[in-house]
Amino acid sequence: MTGSAEQEVRALESLPTLLTGAVADAVQAARGFAGGVYLRSSTPGLLRMAVLAGLPGQLFRSWWRMHVDLPFPVADVHRLGEEVLLNDATETMRRYPQLAAGLPFPFGSLYVPVVGASTSFGVLTVLRPSASDATEVLPDRDRMTAVAEELGAALAALDKDSPELVLWDDEPLCVQAPSDGPSARCVGGFTWDPQDGTVTADDALLGTTPDGFDGTTEALADALSHEDPRLLLTALRETAAGRPPAQPVPVRTADAELRLLALGTSATAPGPPYRVSGAVIDPGPGLAADGAADLLPEGVFALDRLGLITYSNPRAAELLGRPRTELLGRPLWEAVPWLNRPSYEDHVRGALLSPDPVHFQVRRPHGNGHGQTPGRHGGEWLTMSIYAGPDSLTCKLVPMGRVADAAGGDPFESTGRWGAEVDEPTDGAATTASLYRPIVLAIALTEAVTARQVSEVVMRELLPAFGGRRLAIYLLQDRRLYLAWETGFPEGFLAPFDGVGLDTRLPGVETLTSGRPLFYESMQQLTAAYPGIALDAEEGSRAFLPLIASGRPVGSCILGFDRSRAFSTEERTVLTALAGLIAQAMERARRYDNESALARGLQEALLPHRLSAHPLVTTAGRYLPGTLGMDVGGDWYDVVEAGDGLALVIGDVQGHGVQAAATMGQLRSAVRAFALSDRSPDEVMSGTNRLLIDLDPGQFASCCYVRLDPVTGIARAARAGHPQPLLRHPDGRTEILDLPGGVVLGVDPQAQYPVTELLLEPGAILALYTDGLVERPGTDIDEGVETLRASLARAAVRRGRAGGPSVSAAADLLTAEARQATERPDDIALLLTTRRSPSEEGT
């Protein structure tokens, strides 16, 4: 194996250990009950949860992925590099309503960026009990920040050797959170050195003695895992290879007693195989440690915070419909499939995140309950209560109508949240649907402005919630459906359906014309309903949803799933309701797009359609409107004849909207009038300044005015609070000019605007621009100006047909990045000017 290959293997093996250790340290430092770490993924702009400690991963699947542009604390912390502290649910709702809607439980949280050198790797997060005052959390935040700094430095070292490996594209590792005082008992330990194959075990390890133990992994597996020694042997080999199990391995002794085996590695070896250490834990039932719970008439069972059943009394096993031996050591949702329901999972999440008890009703199916789900009218109703502890959940089951004997007082008696469940349970394959709440999508849609943004919200929020892989949105125009957005479908598959009329017999059309959603649980059902319809896959299911807003047809939405699946009554209702939200957002976005197009038309009408020209001068102007608001802006540029020369003008009126555009039009006209009369630059600035004060006291504008003599190249410039121009010399050397200037126009009627003389050599380029081209959120404008200067300096300016530099190509180059951006917070104006020598004229 080569040195680089060894480094990659080492990085892959050390990364999980590094991350899990950091999360454990962060949870303890911030006095939390759960935590995790998000890392960058190979998908640009997407963070993935790499480690989740103290919570079952299945119940928090919706938070495994996080786009950096979403309004969630993890995204903000990674994007801005600043810590976020949410001390309670009220603060969470105020600052991050989508997070509060998705997890509406009383808890606090901390989020700290993980940064190494100049690279932002991800975010460390800890969930903790609510605090009445944020100041009491500050020491915890400081300790957690120190953990994040250490993790960032370690990741930076890995990134230096293998940059592509410090990414996370897998599901998160789910591990136990560290405990202040273990509720479980460690009954023994061992070490295994795979180099020589020897196992050293405690004398008291499950009753073994040195005389009865031959020191091999096989003997250890026989002693610890009587039912299936191969499971333990596999776990040992994986741990030695640097891949320890994410959670303790449940094993059973010869006496059928449940034990949890925690495995880890020693970091002394430079590479695999590593020395393995193990601790055998008696999970202990917590409340039922003394066996008293075995005698209770109510069903009582316990879960650890990863969802594994660690104890069950006989009555709980009876009510759950499974023998105790089939419950212990297994995840609740695997051991009791009929509890694998969206609404039930939501209550368990509440118990994990809230200090209050949770009470709700569940319906047990007839029979033994194995693999069954109750029908609408079948099964027995039970009341389930969950009481959270620091390391486990204690659950109580009581049949409906039966009141616990309160003679001696009910040890479980407490107030808490109640929730009733009466709907038909969902299919087992559809459990992820509950992780999504309509209010979360509603909040996200209110922030979407354009049709593209609405479609992106649906793709990011709705698809993962229901396990979908394909999405198509069609919008209605002139009685035809046109494809507005697609993802997941084979390339070109949807093209034949673009622009179909409302008389076409297709499910996407009929769902809109009938107003009824159409659900097909398999592709066979779809072809039976629409013989001959083209299919994009042999397997899967489809949902066709009408997009209707306030009775007006908007379009249709198609959701595609890779596997055949059923749609429960609950899911059909939720999807239909969400389609209405999407339709309203699309209708609003379409109005926005139409009004925005009209506003942009007004803006274009106010800008010059033809720039004054001179045989020795070539100019190129570019204007890019901002995309975050519908209003027109106040940026403008112009080239005006000024006697025997040319006036080069660029300006920016404060703000946006009709007022800014109207003021811009008036200022442009005023500057043109002054320029045509060949006034000096300082007179143009002073006259325009006084005009603006007379027109609208309180509004101001920046401006730069340059009067150029095309023959000599002498330019005289005046500046009013505008960014400094750039000058690219013929040899490519580019500088930021230092022109003295006066205050912005519209502030001081007595303001003075000094004039500076400079030389524009043949082949040189003068660049005038507005601040929208150089401003970036979170960075100083000087950095943006320097970046623009470097880009102009590096530009391989090709020659135009007249022999001079092609400023049009240079203008395209300097605005390329801004042109490709989907969101521009401000308008951008750019004016480039170059000249030729008089001796070149006519050549």
Side-chain angles (χ1 to χ4, degrees), residues 9-62:
V9 170
R10 192 171 304 172
L12 282 171
E13 292 166 347
S14 60
L15 184 60
T17 302
L18 181 65
L19 297 175
T20 53
V23 171
D25 291 344
V27 171
Q28 288 185 319
R31 295 181 296 170
F33 55 79
V37 62
Y38 286 85
L39 283 190
R40 299 173 304 166
S41 69
S42 58
T43 303
L46 179 67
L47 300 176
R48 287 184 179 271
M49 182 181 287
V51 174
L52 178 62
L55 294 172
Q58 176 179 337
L59 295 189
F60 296 86
R61 184 178 293 269
S62 288

Short mmCIF file of all heavy atoms in Angstrom, two decimals, residues 9-62:
data_model
loop_
_atom_site.label_atom_id
_atom_site.label_comp_id
_atom_site.label_asym_id
_atom_site.label_seq_id
_atom_site.Cartn_x
_atom_site.Cartn_y
_atom_site.Cartn_z
N VAL A 9 -6.68 5.66 4.27
CA VAL A 9 -7.29 4.65 5.14
C VAL A 9 -7.31 5.14 6.57
O VAL A 9 -8.31 5.02 7.29
CB VAL A 9 -6.53 3.31 5.01
CG1 VAL A 9 -7.02 2.34 6.08
CG2 VAL A 9 -6.74 2.72 3.63
N ARG A 10 -6.20 5.74 7.00
CA ARG A 10 -6.12 6.22 8.38
C ARG A 10 -7.13 7.33 8.63
O ARG A 10 -7.75 7.42 9.68
CB ARG A 10 -4.70 6.71 8.66
CG ARG A 10 -4.41 6.97 10.13
CD ARG A 10 -2.94 7.23 10.34
NE ARG A 10 -2.13 6.12 9.83
CZ ARG A 10 -0.81 6.16 9.75
NH1 ARG A 10 -0.15 7.24 10.13
NH2 ARG A 10 -0.15 5.12 9.28
N ALA A 11 -7.28 8.22 7.63
CA ALA A 11 -8.26 9.31 7.78
C ALA A 11 -9.67 8.76 7.88
O ALA A 11 -10.46 9.21 8.71
CB ALA A 11 -8.14 10.28 6.60
N LEU A 12 -9.99 7.78 7.04
CA LEU A 12 -11.33 7.20 7.07
C LEU A 12 -11.61 6.54 8.42
O LEU A 12 -12.73 6.57 8.92
CB LEU A 12 -11.47 6.17 5.95
CG LEU A 12 -11.72 6.73 4.54
CD1 LEU A 12 -11.62 5.62 3.51
CD2 LEU A 12 -13.07 7.40 4.47
N GLU A 13 -10.58 5.93 9.01
CA GLU A 13 -10.78 5.21 10.26
C GLU A 13 -10.78 6.13 11.46
O GLU A 13 -11.46 5.88 12.45
CB GLU A 13 -9.70 4.14 10.41
CG GLU A 13 -9.84 3.02 9.37
CD GLU A 13 -8.59 2.15 9.30
OE1 GLU A 13 -7.57 2.56 9.87
OE2 GLU A 13 -8.65 1.07 8.69
N SER A 14 -9.99 7.20 11.40
CA SER A 14 -9.89 8.09 12.56
C SER A 14 -11.01 9.11 12.60
O SER A 14 -11.33 9.62 13.68
CB SER A 14 -8.54 8.81 12.54
OG SER A 14 -8.39 9.58 11.36
N LEU A 15 -11.64 9.43 11.47
CA LEU A 15 -12.67 10.46 11.45
C LEU A 15 -13.85 10.12 12.36
O LEU A 15 -14.26 10.96 13.17
CB LEU A 15 -13.13 10.72 10.01
CG LEU A 15 -14.15 11.85 9.82
CD1 LEU A 15 -13.58 13.18 10.31
CD2 LEU A 15 -14.56 11.95 8.35
N PRO A 16 -14.46 8.92 12.27
CA PRO A 16 -15.58 8.63 13.17
C PRO A 16 -15.21 8.72 14.65
O PRO A 16 -15.97 9.25 15.46
CB PRO A 16 -15.99 7.20 12.78
CG PRO A 16 -15.50 7.04 11.38
CD PRO A 16 -14.22 7.80 11.32
N THR A 17 -14.03 8.20 14.99
CA THR A 17 -13.60 8.26 16.39
C THR A 17 -13.41 9.70 16.85
O THR A 17 -13.81 10.08 17.95
CB THR A 17 -12.27 7.49 16.56
OG1 THR A 17 -12.46 6.13 16.13
CG2 THR A 17 -11.81 7.50 18.00
N LEU A 18 -12.83 10.49 15.98
CA LEU A 18 -12.62 11.90 16.29
C LEU A 18 -13.93 12.63 16.52
O LEU A 18 -14.10 13.39 17.47
CB LEU A 18 -11.82 12.55 15.15
CG LEU A 18 -11.48 14.03 15.28
CD1 LEU A 18 -10.53 14.24 16.46
CD2 LEU A 18 -10.83 14.52 14.00
N LEU A 19 -14.90 12.38 15.63
CA LEU A 19 -16.18 13.07 15.72
C LEU A 19 -16.99 12.64 16.93
O LEU A 19 -17.57 13.47 17.63
CB LEU A 19 -16.99 12.84 14.44
CG LEU A 19 -16.38 13.39 13.14
CD1 LEU A 19 -17.22 12.98 11.95
CD2 LEU A 19 -16.25 14.90 13.22
N THR A 20 -17.08 11.34 17.17
CA THR A 20 -17.85 10.86 18.32
C THR A 20 -17.26 11.36 19.64
O THR A 20 -17.99 11.72 20.56
CB THR A 20 -17.94 9.33 18.33
OG1 THR A 20 -16.60 8.78 18.25
CG2 THR A 20 -18.75 8.82 17.15
N GLY A 21 -15.92 11.40 19.71
CA GLY A 21 -15.29 11.93 20.92
C GLY A 21 -15.59 13.39 21.13
O GLY A 21 -15.85 13.84 22.26
N ALA A 22 -15.57 14.17 20.04
CA ALA A 22 -15.85 15.60 20.15
C ALA A 22 -17.29 15.85 20.58
O ALA A 22 -17.56 16.74 21.39
CB ALA A 22 -15.55 16.29 18.82
N VAL A 23 -18.23 15.09 20.03
CA VAL A 23 -19.63 15.27 20.41
C VAL A 23 -19.83 14.94 21.88
O VAL A 23 -20.53 15.65 22.61
CB VAL A 23 -20.54 14.41 19.52
CG1 VAL A 23 -21.97 14.43 20.04
CG2 VAL A 23 -20.51 14.92 18.08
N ALA A 24 -19.21 13.85 22.34
CA ALA A 24 -19.32 13.48 23.76
C ALA A 24 -18.77 14.59 24.65
O ALA A 24 -19.37 14.96 25.67
CB ALA A 24 -18.60 12.17 24.02
N ASP A 25 -17.61 15.15 24.25
CA ASP A 25 -17.02 16.24 25.05
C ASP A 25 -17.93 17.48 25.04
O ASP A 25 -18.07 18.16 26.06
CB ASP A 25 -15.65 16.60 24.48
CG ASP A 25 -14.62 15.50 24.70
OD1 ASP A 25 -14.87 14.62 25.54
OD2 ASP A 25 -13.58 15.52 24.02
N ALA A 26 -18.53 17.76 23.88
CA ALA A 26 -19.40 18.94 23.78
C ALA A 26 -20.64 18.78 24.65
O ALA A 26 -21.08 19.74 25.31
CB ALA A 26 -19.79 19.19 22.33
N VAL A 27 -21.24 17.59 24.66
CA VAL A 27 -22.44 17.36 25.46
C VAL A 27 -22.13 17.55 26.95
O VAL A 27 -22.90 18.17 27.70
CB VAL A 27 -23.00 15.95 25.19
CG1 VAL A 27 -24.11 15.62 26.18
CG2 VAL A 27 -23.53 15.86 23.76
N GLN A 28 -20.98 17.04 27.38
CA GLN A 28 -20.61 17.22 28.78
C GLN A 28 -20.26 18.68 29.09
O GLN A 28 -20.64 19.20 30.12
CB GLN A 28 -19.42 16.31 29.11
CG GLN A 28 -19.80 14.83 29.20
CD GLN A 28 -18.65 13.97 29.65
OE1 GLN A 28 -17.51 14.18 29.23
NE2 GLN A 28 -18.92 13.00 30.49
N ALA A 29 -19.55 19.33 28.16
CA ALA A 29 -19.14 20.71 28.38
C ALA A 29 -20.34 21.64 28.50
O ALA A 29 -20.33 22.57 29.31
CB ALA A 29 -18.24 21.18 27.24
N ALA A 30 -21.38 21.39 27.70
CA ALA A 30 -22.56 22.26 27.70
C ALA A 30 -23.67 21.73 28.59
O ALA A 30 -24.78 22.25 28.55
CB ALA A 30 -23.07 22.44 26.27
N ARG A 31 -23.39 20.68 29.35
CA ARG A 31 -24.38 20.09 30.27
C ARG A 31 -25.67 19.74 29.53
O ARG A 31 -26.77 20.04 29.98
CB ARG A 31 -24.66 21.04 31.43
CG ARG A 31 -23.47 21.28 32.33
CD ARG A 31 -23.83 22.21 33.47
NE ARG A 31 -24.19 23.55 33.00
CZ ARG A 31 -24.73 24.48 33.77
NH1 ARG A 31 -24.99 24.23 35.04
NH2 ARG A 31 -25.02 25.67 33.27
N GLY A 32 -25.51 19.11 28.37
CA GLY A 32 -26.65 18.76 27.55
C GLY A 32 -27.07 17.31 27.73
O GLY A 32 -26.43 16.54 28.43
N PHE A 33 -28.17 16.97 27.07
CA PHE A 33 -28.63 15.58 27.09
C PHE A 33 -28.49 14.92 25.73
O PHE A 33 -28.69 13.71 25.60
CB PHE A 33 -30.09 15.49 27.56
CG PHE A 33 -31.05 16.33 26.76
CD1 PHE A 33 -31.52 15.90 25.53
CD2 PHE A 33 -31.51 17.54 27.25
CE1 PHE A 33 -32.41 16.67 24.80
CE2 PHE A 33 -32.40 18.32 26.53
CZ PHE A 33 -32.84 17.88 25.29
N ALA A 34 -28.15 15.67 24.70
CA ALA A 34 -27.95 15.11 23.37
C ALA A 34 -27.11 16.09 22.57
O ALA A 34 -26.98 17.28 22.93
CB ALA A 34 -29.29 14.85 22.67
N GLY A 35 -26.53 15.62 21.50
CA GLY A 35 -25.71 16.50 20.68
C GLY A 35 -25.37 15.84 19.36
O GLY A 35 -25.74 14.68 19.10
N GLY A 36 -24.72 16.58 18.52
CA GLY A 36 -24.33 16.04 17.22
C GLY A 36 -23.37 16.97 16.52
O GLY A 36 -23.05 18.06 17.01
N VAL A 37 -22.90 16.53 15.38
CA VAL A 37 -22.01 17.34 14.57
C VAL A 37 -22.42 17.18 13.10
O VAL A 37 -22.71 16.08 12.64
CB VAL A 37 -20.53 16.96 14.78
CG1 VAL A 37 -20.25 15.53 14.36
CG2 VAL A 37 -19.62 17.92 14.02
N TYR A 38 -22.50 18.31 12.41
CA TYR A 38 -22.76 18.33 10.98
C TYR A 38 -21.43 18.60 10.27
O TYR A 38 -20.63 19.43 10.72
CB TYR A 38 -23.74 19.45 10.61
CG TYR A 38 -25.17 19.18 10.97
CD1 TYR A 38 -25.66 19.46 12.23
CD2 TYR A 38 -26.06 18.67 10.02
CE1 TYR A 38 -26.99 19.23 12.56
CE2 TYR A 38 -27.40 18.44 10.34
CZ TYR A 38 -27.85 18.72 11.61
OH TYR A 38 -29.17 18.49 11.92
N LEU A 39 -21.23 17.92 9.15
CA LEU A 39 -20.05 18.14 8.33
C LEU A 39 -20.46 18.49 6.90
O LEU A 39 -21.56 18.14 6.46
CB LEU A 39 -19.15 16.89 8.28
CG LEU A 39 -18.27 16.57 9.48
CD1 LEU A 39 -17.33 15.45 9.11
CD2 LEU A 39 -17.49 17.79 9.96
N ARG A 40 -19.55 19.11 6.19
CA ARG A 40 -19.76 19.33 4.76
C ARG A 40 -19.90 17.99 4.06
O ARG A 40 -19.32 16.99 4.49
CB ARG A 40 -18.58 20.08 4.14
CG ARG A 40 -18.32 21.45 4.70
CD ARG A 40 -17.02 21.99 4.13
NE ARG A 40 -15.91 21.08 4.38
CZ ARG A 40 -14.74 21.16 3.77
NH1 ARG A 40 -14.51 22.09 2.87
NH2 ARG A 40 -13.78 20.29 4.06
N SER A 41 -20.64 17.97 2.97
CA SER A 41 -20.77 16.77 2.16
C SER A 41 -20.17 17.04 0.79
O SER A 41 -19.71 18.15 0.49
CB SER A 41 -22.24 16.36 2.02
OG SER A 41 -22.94 17.29 1.22
N SER A 42 -20.17 16.03 -0.07
CA SER A 42 -19.66 16.21 -1.43
C SER A 42 -20.63 17.01 -2.29
O SER A 42 -20.28 17.41 -3.39
CB SER A 42 -19.38 14.84 -2.07
OG SER A 42 -20.58 14.06 -2.09
N THR A 43 -21.86 17.22 -1.79
CA THR A 43 -22.83 18.05 -2.50
C THR A 43 -22.65 19.49 -2.05
O THR A 43 -22.80 19.79 -0.87
CB THR A 43 -24.26 17.59 -2.20
OG1 THR A 43 -24.41 16.22 -2.56
CG2 THR A 43 -25.27 18.45 -2.96
N PRO A 44 -22.32 20.41 -2.95
CA PRO A 44 -22.12 21.80 -2.55
C PRO A 44 -23.35 22.37 -1.86
O PRO A 44 -24.48 22.16 -2.29
CB PRO A 44 -21.85 22.51 -3.89
CG PRO A 44 -21.35 21.44 -4.80
CD PRO A 44 -22.08 20.19 -4.40
N GLY A 45 -23.11 23.08 -0.76
CA GLY A 45 -24.20 23.73 -0.04
C GLY A 45 -25.01 22.81 0.85
O GLY A 45 -26.01 23.24 1.41
N LEU A 46 -24.58 21.55 1.02
CA LEU A 46 -25.35 20.60 1.83
C LEU A 46 -24.49 20.10 2.98
O LEU A 46 -23.39 19.58 2.77
CB LEU A 46 -25.81 19.42 0.98
CG LEU A 46 -26.62 18.34 1.74
CD1 LEU A 46 -27.96 18.90 2.18
CD2 LEU A 46 -26.82 17.11 0.87
N LEU A 47 -25.01 20.26 4.21
CA LEU A 47 -24.40 19.67 5.39
C LEU A 47 -25.12 18.38 5.74
O LEU A 47 -26.33 18.27 5.56
CB LEU A 47 -24.48 20.63 6.58
CG LEU A 47 -23.81 22.00 6.43
CD1 LEU A 47 -24.10 22.83 7.67
CD2 LEU A 47 -22.33 21.86 6.21
N ARG A 48 -24.37 17.41 6.26
CA ARG A 48 -24.97 16.15 6.71
C ARG A 48 -24.58 15.90 8.16
O ARG A 48 -23.46 16.19 8.58
CB ARG A 48 -24.50 14.98 5.85
CG ARG A 48 -25.12 14.95 4.46
CD ARG A 48 -24.68 13.70 3.72
NE ARG A 48 -25.26 13.60 2.40
CZ ARG A 48 -26.41 13.01 2.12
NH1 ARG A 48 -27.11 12.48 3.10
NH2 ARG A 48 -26.86 12.96 0.89
N MET A 49 -25.53 15.37 8.91
CA MET A 49 -25.24 15.00 10.29
C MET A 49 -24.33 13.78 10.27
O MET A 49 -24.67 12.75 9.70
CB MET A 49 -26.54 14.70 11.03
CG MET A 49 -26.33 14.35 12.49
SD MET A 49 -27.90 13.98 13.32
CE MET A 49 -28.60 15.62 13.44
N ALA A 50 -23.17 13.92 10.91
CA ALA A 50 -22.21 12.82 10.94
C ALA A 50 -22.36 11.98 12.20
O ALA A 50 -22.20 10.76 12.15
CB ALA A 50 -20.79 13.36 10.84
N VAL A 51 -22.66 12.62 13.31
CA VAL A 51 -22.82 11.91 14.59
C VAL A 51 -24.04 12.49 15.30
O VAL A 51 -24.24 13.70 15.33
CB VAL A 51 -21.57 12.07 15.49
CG1 VAL A 51 -21.82 11.45 16.86
CG2 VAL A 51 -20.36 11.42 14.84
N LEU A 52 -24.85 11.59 15.88
CA LEU A 52 -25.98 11.99 16.73
C LEU A 52 -25.85 11.21 18.02
O LEU A 52 -25.87 9.98 18.01
CB LEU A 52 -27.31 11.68 16.04
CG LEU A 52 -28.58 11.99 16.86
CD1 LEU A 52 -28.66 13.48 17.17
CD2 LEU A 52 -29.83 11.52 16.12
N ALA A 53 -25.71 11.92 19.12
CA ALA A 53 -25.51 11.28 20.42
C ALA A 53 -26.72 11.53 21.31
O ALA A 53 -27.17 12.67 21.45
CB ALA A 53 -24.25 11.82 21.09
N GLY A 54 -27.23 10.45 21.89
CA GLY A 54 -28.29 10.59 22.88
C GLY A 54 -29.69 10.59 22.35
O GLY A 54 -30.65 10.76 23.11
N LEU A 55 -29.88 10.38 21.03
CA LEU A 55 -31.22 10.36 20.44
C LEU A 55 -31.27 9.28 19.36
O LEU A 55 -30.28 9.05 18.66
CB LEU A 55 -31.55 11.72 19.81
CG LEU A 55 -31.70 12.91 20.76
CD1 LEU A 55 -31.83 14.20 19.96
CD2 LEU A 55 -32.87 12.73 21.70
N PRO A 56 -32.43 8.63 19.19
CA PRO A 56 -32.55 7.61 18.13
C PRO A 56 -32.53 8.28 16.75
O PRO A 56 -33.32 9.20 16.48
CB PRO A 56 -33.92 6.97 18.40
CG PRO A 56 -34.35 7.46 19.75
CD PRO A 56 -33.66 8.76 19.97
N GLY A 57 -31.65 7.83 15.90
CA GLY A 57 -31.54 8.43 14.58
C GLY A 57 -32.83 8.36 13.77
O GLY A 57 -33.16 9.28 13.04
N GLN A 58 -33.58 7.27 13.90
CA GLN A 58 -34.79 7.08 13.10
C GLN A 58 -35.80 8.19 13.36
O GLN A 58 -36.50 8.63 12.45
CB GLN A 58 -35.42 5.73 13.40
CG GLN A 58 -36.75 5.51 12.67
CD GLN A 58 -37.36 4.15 12.95
OE1 GLN A 58 -36.65 3.23 13.32
NE2 GLN A 58 -38.66 4.03 12.78
N LEU A 59 -35.88 8.66 14.60
CA LEU A 59 -36.88 9.66 14.95
C LEU A 59 -36.48 11.07 14.51
O LEU A 59 -37.30 11.98 14.58
CB LEU A 59 -37.12 9.67 16.46
CG LEU A 59 -37.75 8.41 17.07
CD1 LEU A 59 -38.12 8.66 18.51
CD2 LEU A 59 -38.96 7.96 16.28
N PHE A 60 -35.25 11.24 14.08
CA PHE A 60 -34.77 12.57 13.72
C PHE A 60 -34.18 12.58 12.31
O PHE A 60 -33.29 13.36 12.00
CB PHE A 60 -33.74 13.05 14.75
CG PHE A 60 -34.33 13.23 16.12
CD1 PHE A 60 -34.42 12.17 17.00
CD2 PHE A 60 -34.85 14.45 16.51
CE1 PHE A 60 -34.99 12.32 18.25
CE2 PHE A 60 -35.42 14.61 17.75
CZ PHE A 60 -35.50 13.55 18.63
N ARG A 61 -34.75 11.73 11.47
CA ARG A 61 -34.25 11.59 10.10
C ARG A 61 -34.37 12.90 9.31
O ARG A 61 -33.54 13.20 8.47
CB ARG A 61 -35.02 10.48 9.38
CG ARG A 61 -34.53 10.18 7.98
CD ARG A 61 -35.31 9.04 7.37
NE ARG A 61 -35.05 7.79 8.06
CZ ARG A 61 -34.08 6.95 7.71
NH1 ARG A 61 -33.29 7.25 6.71
NH2 ARG A 61 -33.90 5.83 8.37
N SER A 62 -35.40 13.69 9.58
CA SER A 62 -35.57 14.94 8.83
C SER A 62 -34.45 15.93 9.06
O SER A 62 -34.29 16.87 8.29
CB SER A 62 -36.90 15.60 9.21
OG SER A 62 -37.98 14.89 8.68
#
